[in-house]
Amino acid sequence: MTLPKLKILLCAPRGFCAGVDRAIQIVDLALVRYGAPVYVRHEIVHNKYVVEELRAKGAVFVEELDEIPDTEQPVIFSAHGVPRSVPAAAAARNLFQLDATCPLVTKVHREAEIHHKKGRHVILIGHAGHPEVIGTMGQLPEGSVTLIETVDDVGRLDFPADTVLSYTSQTTLSVDDTRMIVEALALRYPGIVPPHKSDICYATTNRQAAVREVAPKVDAMLVVGAPNSSNSQRLREVAAREGCARAFLIQRASDLDWNALDGIGALGITAGASAPEVLVEEIIDAFAARYDVTVETVRTAEETIAFTLPRQLRDITDHGADKGGSEL
């Protein structure tokens, strides 16, 4: 039987970013150094496959610190960051903390603190309820940050004329949507103080750019990632906005809806920053069983960023992230 031909365009960059890679390394290396269990508050990154792999090695995932017994084992904070109250509560219990917060999220935290110290009210562009937003808002006293999600939210802001304003953003937002919100803020509040540079991280920006390049050239686009992954959801939205009518977010090959993909001749594949490459390969294999597949990589940027590991773990790995420090 002759299989129908299918051209797969692989977006690059895709998949793990430096912050995700560092966070997973921290859990892995903590298990090597301290043994199981190690406790992780919240999913270390938003990917079920990654979480289940780490759980099988001895990581115990909890939502709150009160789920952790009194222990000398490490307690790890996820890549999304946490409010100040969390490490304070851990310290009060003398828990051994390892912070896997992405350094680019930490940068946003520090910027928000600087704005606050300079007397500016902080407007945070982000998605309500996302762990990164909860963590950023939790760096400052209650009432010091106002969260907005859309351009319409800008129109509903009502600050007194003498309020000194600043803004910052979640690192995993849509570049295009955020630009429109920032423009609306600047129009309404001309004196608003921006971040030193965009808070949307390099990985989010690069992955969206690759999708923009590929989406108009394919009949369907698959984004490999978790439903609760902000950066993965944004990739699907970008593909749809760029004219790809069939843009789907899936977690792995078993989620493929073959009826929805019927008749395609060209397929784009990308992966959110928390999705391992093994899941992309699994999906390509699933298509290779049904189609005569050719694969082409479409690369729009090179990524060489690596972040330093916590000092407690640096001497037990020779990974590249341990050499040369962080690049911001």
Side-chain angles (χ1 to χ4, degrees), residues 198-267:
S198 173
D199 289 323
I200 297 177
C201 81
Y202 79 94
T204 297
T205 302
N206 289 347
R207 280 149 190 72
Q208 289 180 21
V211 168
R212 263 190 221 97
E213 178 72 20
V214 168
K217 303 174 182 176
V218 295
D219 304 309
M221 173 71 76
L222 299 179
V223 178
V224 185
N228 60 338
S229 165
S230 174
N231 76 86
S232 299
Q233 289 284 8
R234 304 295 80 77
L235 291 174
R236 183 191 58 77
E237 292 170 1
V238 169
R241 187 177 293 147
E242 292 298 318
C244 185
R246 288 185 276 184
F248 305 104
L249 176 64
I250 64 171
Q251 297 197 68
R252 58 187 313 171
S254 56
D255 297 333
L256 286 165
D257 181 347
W258 296 106
N259 290 330
L261 296 166
D262 187 50
I264 63 172
L267 173 70

Side-chain angles (χ1 to χ4, degrees), residues 88-229:
R93 290 184 55 192
N94 293 316
L95 295 174
F96 171 37
Q97 306 173 38
L98 290 172
D99 189 0
T101 301
C102 172
L104 297 179
V105 174
T106 301
K107 167 182 164 287
V108 174
H109 291 179
R110 300 294 84 84
E111 284 179 341
E113 289 173 346
I114 290 168
H115 286 313
H116 180 67
K117 286 176 181 175
K118 292 186 175 181
R120 302 165 186 155
H121 185 85
V122 177
I123 296 173
L124 173 62
I125 306 167
H127 296 295
H130 189 278
E132 184 184 328
V133 165
I134 293 169
T136 299
M137 295 185 74
Q139 302 304 305
L140 302 181
E142 190 171 349
S144 301
V145 182
T146 297
L147 177 66
I148 62 172
E149 300 186 80
T150 66
V151 170
D152 289 341
D153 288 343
V154 176
R156 288 188 278 269
L157 295 174
D158 187 23
F159 292 104
D162 60 348
T163 306
V164 183
L165 297 173
S166 62
Y167 74 86
T168 187
S169 77
Q170 186 178 334
T171 63
T172 56
L173 300 180
S174 160
V175 174
D176 293 333
D177 289 346
T178 304
R179 185 185 300 114
M180 289 189 288
I181 295 170
V182 167
E183 288 172 354
L185 280 171
L187 189 63
R188 180 157 184 163
Y189 301 106
I192 194 167
V193 179
H196 178 63
K197 63 184 226 179
S198 173
D199 289 323
I200 297 177
C201 81
Y202 79 94
T204 297
T205 302
N206 289 347
R207 280 149 190 72
Q208 289 180 21
V211 168
R212 263 190 221 97
E213 178 72 20
V214 168
K217 303 174 182 176
V218 295
D219 304 309
M221 173 71 76
L222 299 179
V223 178
V224 185
N228 60 338
S229 165

Side-chain angles (χ1 to χ4, degrees), residues 7-26:
K7 184 175 184 178
I8 295 178
L9 297 184
L10 273 180
C11 295
R14 65 180 177 276
F16 281 0
C17 63
V20 165
D21 187 58
R22 175 181 180 270
I24 294 169
Q25 280 192 66
I26 288 172

Side-chain angles (χ1 to χ4, degrees), residues 231-309:
N231 76 86
S232 299
Q233 289 284 8
R234 304 295 80 77
L235 291 174
R236 183 191 58 77
E237 292 170 1
V238 169
R241 187 177 293 147
E242 292 298 318
C244 185
R246 288 185 276 184
F248 305 104
L249 176 64
I250 64 171
Q251 297 197 68
R252 58 187 313 171
S254 56
D255 297 333
L256 286 165
D257 181 347
W258 296 106
N259 290 330
L261 296 166
D262 187 50
I264 63 172
L267 173 70
I269 300 179
T270 189
S274 303
E277 185 65 11
V278 64
L279 299 182
V280 174
E281 293 168 358
E282 176 186 277
I283 289 165
I284 293 172
D285 288 345
F287 278 93
R290 292 171 174 252
Y291 292 86
D292 177 8
V293 167
T294 58
V295 179
E296 176 185 332
T297 297
V298 178
R299 179 170 296 279
T300 54
E302 297 288 344
E303 292 182 349
T304 58
I305 290 176
F307 294 130
T308 303
L309 292 165

